[in-house]
Amino acid sequence: MPNDPHGQSPSEPVAPGGQWYPPEWPDRIRALADGSLTPVAPKRAATVMLLRDDEGSGAGPAVHMLRRRTSMAFAGGAYAYPGGGVDPRDEDHRIGWAGPALADWAARMGTDAATAQAIVCGAVRETFEEAGVLLAGESPGTVVGDTTGDDWEADRQALVARELSFAEFLDRRGLLLRSDLLGAWARWITPEFEPRRYDTWFFVAALPAGQRTRNASTEADRTVWIRPAEAAAGYDKGELLMMPPTISTLRSLEPYGSAAEALAAAAGQDLAPVLAQAVLEDGQLVLSWPGHDEFTKRVRPGGTP
């Protein structure tokens, strides 16, 4: 799903606020309504809202965001968090693990243990691949430090190319995945009328001491640290382009005064999947995300929201 402020693809309209609105949606929604479009199965994905406290600011944590290149076929120019698809190999291999047991993760996420492992691994791996930040350590109480060396970069590139599985990467370096540094926050599923669909789990995590982010993603043209309220204000002014899951999760981070507060609050977040609905009402297409009224759009016969 996955990536900054300012900038959007001129070929894709933006609805009020900074919501990305693909021009092909009206036709696809109509096709879904009349039965001529068969939804594709969503792929599993994970994304991480990486938070950093600014010493002495008192303004709450900043979140790390990436801007997707405008040339990207999916959500070009939109801001998002580091993330991407789940590697099926992370479901089958034993992973060096620290933190809550897989059974606890499975219960929290409403999945089986293998699925929970694959999704959590996907979140940690994608954060390393796209931001250079690794939530892992040599023991349950430690986290790796600087990961910018050439040897780390070689491993990161091998992970991106899927030449190296995440389990192999951890084993090679004698590391444990620090699942206690993550908190499951939300789950959004791409609408049924989209040709590319993802069942995306959103996690929250704090930037480990000694590590720093960088733009390691080929899909992003810039990265920023920005406070959730500031990013949301940019969206409301139409200056920052975002998809509904991104702006929704940003708003949900605003109340927390520190990264630790947000991580502690993760256990109470609702993980019921959010799936857009499209219906025909009086000749208009009505697009809505249950529980998120700000994203409701009415599409006139001409296709304009």
Side-chain angles (χ1 to χ4, degrees), residues 44-48 84-87 90-91 97 102 105 109 111-126 177 182 184 186-187 199-203:
R44 295 178 302 178
T47 188
V48 176
V86 169
D87 186 343
D90 292 337
E91 189 170 329
W97 194 270
L102 275 173
W105 274 102
M109 299 170 68
T111 67
D112 57 65
T115 299
Q117 174 176 289
I119 294 169
V120 173
C121 283
V124 175
R125 175 180 47 76
E126 286 288 339
L177 183 154
L182 284 169
R187 181 185 180 189
D199 182 351
T200 304
W201 293 83
F202 287 73
F203 295 84

Side-chain angles (χ1 to χ4, degrees), residues 166-187:
F166 195 59
E168 292 168 338
F169 165 69
L170 293 177
D171 286 344
R172 175 187 296 180
R173 290 188 169 270
L175 297 175
L176 303 175
L177 183 154
R178 289 286 307 275
S179 75
D180 55 317
L181 300 181
L182 284 169
W185 195 266
R187 181 185 180 189

Side-chain angles (χ1 to χ4, degrees), residues 215-248:
N215 184 5
S217 173
T218 59
E219 298 181 356
D221 60 11
R222 70 172 297 201
T223 63
V224 295
W225 282 99
I226 187 170
R227 288 189 175 82
E230 182 183 348
Y235 168 90
D236 291 336
K237 294 174 184 176
E239 297 173 352
L240 305 189
L241 191 64
M242 299 179 202
M243 292 181 286
T246 308
I247 182 57
S248 173

